[in-house]
Amino acid sequence: MRIAINTILTSNSIEGTEHCSVPILSNSVVVVIDVLRASTTICSALYNGAKEVIPCSSIDDAKDIFSRYSKDTTILGGERNGIKPLGFDSGNSPFEYSRKKVENKTVILTTTNGTQALQKVKNSKMILIGCFVNLSSIDAALNKIALVDNFESEITFVCAGNNGKSSLEDTLCAGVLINKLVNRYDNCYLNDNSKLAMKTFIEMKDNLLKECYNSEHGKKLIKLGFKEDIDLALKYDIYPIVPVFKDGIITTP
Ligand code: MLT
């Protein structure tokens, strides 16, 4: 018996590989990671009482779905290039999804990488959304799944990445989760990306916040005035929930 742990460092590498990746992912419990900022924002919205989050690949899709809902029960949110698109209620900062704003509402969200990553893995066996703000909850959920299905499923960490490139903060988050699994079970089988992610985390673990300020996307967010989003995204376990993406909708069942 062994636990197969795969990591995909950018969700763009799933694109165009339908023939081989879908059968692989169909037996996978997938954790989609977009630390800066989609996963963190989804956790913020759900922790603050949003009824559900509907992730959309494109701005047009998001607007189309939004037009079918009553305006007082729905929030249209997201970003392109880090900035709130014209006509949207909220951008992609986790601070824009306060309880006052989102409680009992449906959030329709479209982001550059994170919500696209979710769409790409939608055929997987189970899809969780993970990041630092819900790290221990995801770790506990993976532990439970591994025990319940007797390690039959493989675990795949899908890092959203940044426009087709890997991003340090997502890799680090995958790395910490992999490190926890490896410390708990003797029989983990890691693909090369998983080894890279874990080793990167071990090397940088004492300076995570500083490393994320200096990552490509971190630097871009600081330039745009979103340094506080990075501070929040690197706080362990402030939103102890497990968001699950199923049938097009993210909830915390
Ligand atoms: C994304 O999905 O690419 C991001 O979450 C970008 C951001 O808003 O920082």
Side-chain angles (χ1 to χ4, degrees):
M1 202 160 53
R2 62 175 206 164
I3 307 180
I5 302 174
N6 296 322
T7 301
I8 294 173
L9 292 176
T10 162
S11 61
N12 276 30
S13 61
I14 301 172
E15 224 165 38
T17 55
E18 261 184 339
H19 305 297
C20 58
S21 76
V22 172
I24 294 167
L25 291 178
S26 63
N27 188 40
S28 263
V29 172
V30 168
V31 182
V32 173
I33 300 172
D34 185 359
V35 172
L36 301 175
R37 298 165 290 175
S39 298
T40 305
T41 293
I42 290 166
C43 288
S44 168
L46 291 169
Y47 182 79
N48 284 324
K51 194 172 121 206
E52 59 198 5
V53 176
I54 303 180
C56 303
S57 298
S58 72
I59 290 183
D60 284 348
D61 279 359
K63 283 183 170 167
D64 182 46
I65 294 174
F66 183 63
S67 70
R68 292 186 239 144
Y69 278 80
S70 129
K71 301 290 159 276
D72 52 349
T73 60
T74 319
I75 290 188
L76 180 60
E79 57 70 41
R80 283 300 177 273
N81 265 321
I83 304 290
K84 178 171 85 167
L86 206 66
F88 274 44
D89 303 311
S90 297
N92 194 30
S93 167
F95 289 104
E96 291 180 78
Y97 295 82
S98 62
R99 185 162 294 276
K100 198 167 157 213
K101 198 156 178 188
V102 302
E103 195 162 32
N104 297 321
K105 296 203 171 158
T106 295
V107 174
I108 297 167
L109 187 73
T110 181
T111 71
T112 312
N113 301 284
T115 57
Q116 324 244 6
L118 281 161
Q119 293 301 340
K120 284 178 193 161
V121 301
K122 64 181 177 207
N123 294 325
S124 312
K125 189 168 171 178
M126 184 185 287
I127 305 153
L128 313 178
I129 287 115
C131 45
F132 290 103
V133 295
N134 69 341
L135 198 92
S136 299
S137 305
I138 291 294
D139 178 47
L142 291 177
N143 192 25
K144 200 165 147 196
I145 291 160
L147 294 173
V148 168
D149 83 0
N150 206 17
F151 307 101
E152 298 254 314
S153 303
E154 60 183 13
I155 297 170
T156 302
F157 295 100
V158 173
C159 299
N162 189 10
N163 294 317
K165 295 180 287 177
S166 60
S167 59
L168 184 62
E169 56 280 357
D170 297 345
T171 308
L172 288 169
C173 187
V176 60
L177 286 163
I178 295 162
N179 197 44
K180 282 176 184 290
L181 287 162
V182 166
N183 286 336
R184 190 175 302 123
Y185 301 110
D186 295 332
N187 49 350
C188 294
Y189 174 81
L190 274 53
N191 75 344
D192 286 357
N193 281 341
S194 299
K195 289 180 193 163
L196 279 172
M198 189 174 80
K199 290 206 181 295
T200 306
F201 164 70
I202 291 169
E203 191 190 310
M204 297 184 171
K205 68 179 181 343
D206 297 328
N207 284 309
L208 288 186
L209 184 60
K210 208 168 141 212
E211 296 294 352
C212 291
Y213 285 157
N214 282 315
S215 74
E216 287 177 31
H217 197 57
K219 283 196 267 199
K220 180 176 163 188
L221 287 175
I222 290 172
K223 232 185 210 163
L224 290 171
F226 293 119
K227 184 164 181 269
E228 285 181 359
D229 290 7
I230 307 176
D231 294 332
L232 183 137
L234 268 287
K235 289 200 167 104
Y236 281 83
D237 298 327
I238 52 167
Y239 303 137
I241 55 169
V242 179
V244 177
F245 180 43
K246 192 166 179 245
D247 301 330
I249 289 170
I250 306 169
T251 54
T252 47

